[in-house]
Amino acid sequence: MDKPDPIGVGIQYNPEILDWFPFESLDVDLFEVLLDPFMGPLDGPSVFLPGALERLRELRRKRPLLAHSNYGCDFGFGDLERTPAVLRHVPMARAIGSPWIADHSFYGDESWLDIWSSPVQFSPTEVRRIADRARRLQEHYGIPLAHENAAYYLATPGSTMREADFMAALVERSGTFLHLDLHNVYANSLNLAGFDPMAYLETIPLDRVIAVHLAGGSWHDGLYHDWHDNPVPEPVWELLDWLLARARPGAVILEYQGRCHHESTRLLDTDDESMIVRDLARAKAAWAAASVHWAGVS
Ligand SMILES: [Fe+2]
C-alpha cells in the first residue's frame, strides 16, 4: 500500500471541547476525527450514532477528515473479526472518506480497555502476532493503517526490545505505517530511564511516518502526563523541526481535550483559544518551511 500525498496541518476535532472551541472557523487543512465518540454500540443496529454521519459529512464539506481509532481493540487477543475496529471503525472510515486511518499501539479487548497505560509488549513474539493482525486489519480498511506510539509509565512485563526497534520491526513485517506522536516520545523520555527521543527518531523508518501528533501535558505526582492540556513544549517543536527536515508526513495534527485522560487534567476553556491558535500558527509555519525544503529536494 502506498503512502498518501501530504495534506497539511490540522487539529483533532474533539467532542470534549466542541462546546466552546470554534473548530470550523480555524485556518487549518484538515480535521482528525476520533471515531469512538460517533460510533454506534456494538450490540445496536447502526454503525454510527444517530445523526453522527450527517454531522461528519457536513464537516467534510469544509475540510478533509482523517479517521483515528482509539478503542478498536486492534492488538488485543480476541478474534480480530469481532473487534470494534473491524465491525465499526472500518465502515466508519470508509463513510467519511478518510485517506488513511490511525490506531493505537495498546492492548484492549472486550473486558479490558485501560488503553492509556497498557502498551503492547515489545518482544519478537508480539511483533509477529501484532504484525499479522495489523496486516489483516489494513486489508479490511483498504487504506493505509498507521500505528500511534504510546505514552506509558512502565514497559509491559516481558518486553525485551526498545520501543523504537519494536515499531520498526512491526511496520516492516506488516506493511503498515506509523502515526508518530512526538509528545508521547517526549513524555516517555521524561518518565522512562534510558528513553532517548533522538535515538527513537533515528531508529524508526521515517519514510513510514504518515502523520504526526503534537500536544502538551502536565506534571502530576512526579510523572509527566500526555493530557493534551497545555501548549506544545519547546522540545517537541524541536523534534518536529528535526523530523520535517528528514521526512515528509501526510499531516501534522494538534491535540487538545478535556478530562477524558484523568480528573487532574487542567480543564481548558475559552481563555485557551489563543493558546491553541498560537500552536497551530507555529505548526503551519514549520510545515511551510518544510514544504520549501521538500520542493527543493524533489
Ligand atoms: Fe496522540
Side-chain angles (χ1 to χ4, degrees):
M1 195 148 323
D2 292 334
K3 191 171 161 183
D5 291 334
I7 300 176
V9 174
I11 187 168
Q12 193 172 83
Y13 187 79
N14 194 323
E16 275 197 294
I17 61 172
L18 262 184
D19 58 334
W20 62 268
F21 190 71
F23 281 99
E24 294 177 37
S25 62
L26 290 174
D27 180 18
V28 291
D29 302 309
L30 60 100
F31 292 125
E32 182 184 65
V33 173
L34 301 171
L35 295 179
D36 301 272
F38 297 102
M39 186 184 107
L42 285 181
D43 57 354
S46 303
V47 169
F48 284 88
L49 288 173
L53 178 57
E54 294 73 16
R55 192 166 136 201
L56 291 175
R57 284 191 167 148
E58 184 65 31
L59 190 64
R60 191 184 167 201
R61 281 217 277 270
K62 296 167 180 130
R63 307 281 191 290
L65 302 184
L66 299 180
H68 196 296
S69 160
N70 273 340
Y71 301 94
C73 303
D74 313 21
F75 298 152
F77 294 85
D79 179 2
L80 179 67
E81 316 303 322
R82 299 186 55 77
T83 58
V86 170
L87 295 175
R88 291 289 183 265
H89 295 173
V90 165
M92 291 176 82
R94 285 211 189 103
I96 64 170
S98 185
W100 68 80
I101 171 87
D103 68 358
H104 270 292
S105 305
F106 289 114
Y107 288 125
D109 59 32
E110 290 167 359
S111 61
W112 183 37
L113 276 173
D114 301 322
I115 66 162
W116 303 117
S117 57
S118 54
V120 298
Q121 182 193 74
F122 303 131
S123 68
T125 305
E126 282 296 80
V127 168
R128 290 191 289 276
R129 189 189 68 86
I130 291 173
D132 176 65
R133 288 175 77 94
R135 180 185 51 73
R136 287 161 49 210
L137 183 56
Q138 183 169 251
E139 285 170 8
H140 276 290
Y141 276 115
I143 52 177
L145 169 63
H147 315 302
E148 180 168 357
N149 53 297
Y152 51 92
Y153 310 102
L154 285 172
T156 292
S159 293
T160 56
M161 303 170 70
R162 293 187 309 165
E163 180 193 328
D165 290 321
F166 177 91
M167 299 300 282
L170 169 61
V171 296
E172 164 76 19
R173 190 176 176 98
S174 63
T176 53
F177 296 84
L178 295 170
H179 175 114
L180 176 61
D181 190 315
L182 289 175
H183 188 251
N184 287 350
V185 170
Y186 173 65
N188 288 347
S189 77
L190 297 178
N191 293 329
L192 302 170
F195 192 107
D196 178 352
M198 287 313 303
Y200 190 100
L201 295 185
E202 287 169 346
T203 300
I204 58 171
L206 298 181
D207 62 337
R208 307 297 289 181
V209 175
I210 280 189
V212 175
H213 263 173
L214 303 177
S218 292
W219 287 94
H220 178 72
D221 273 353
L223 290 168
Y224 181 77
H225 299 271
D226 174 48
W227 284 347
H228 306 171
D229 61 349
N230 273 304
V232 177
E234 205 57 39
V236 175
W237 290 117
E238 290 168 11
L239 294 177
L240 178 67
D241 288 340
W242 186 95
L243 178 78
L244 293 183
R246 292 161 180 80
R248 194 175 186 185
V252 171
I253 302 152
L254 289 108
E255 302 183 276
Y256 305 92
Q257 68 181 70
R259 287 187 167 142
C260 152
H261 282 185
H262 195 276
E263 63 182 6
S264 297
T265 305
R266 187 177 74 83
L267 193 57
L268 304 186
D269 60 24
T270 50
D271 292 341
D272 293 300
E273 183 179 330
S274 58
M275 168 192 88
I276 296 175
V277 169
R278 265 198 312 278
D279 275 354
L280 271 172
R282 188 160 174 184
K284 286 167 67 76
W287 182 276
S291 298
V292 173
H293 167 69
W294 297 331
V297 296
S298 64

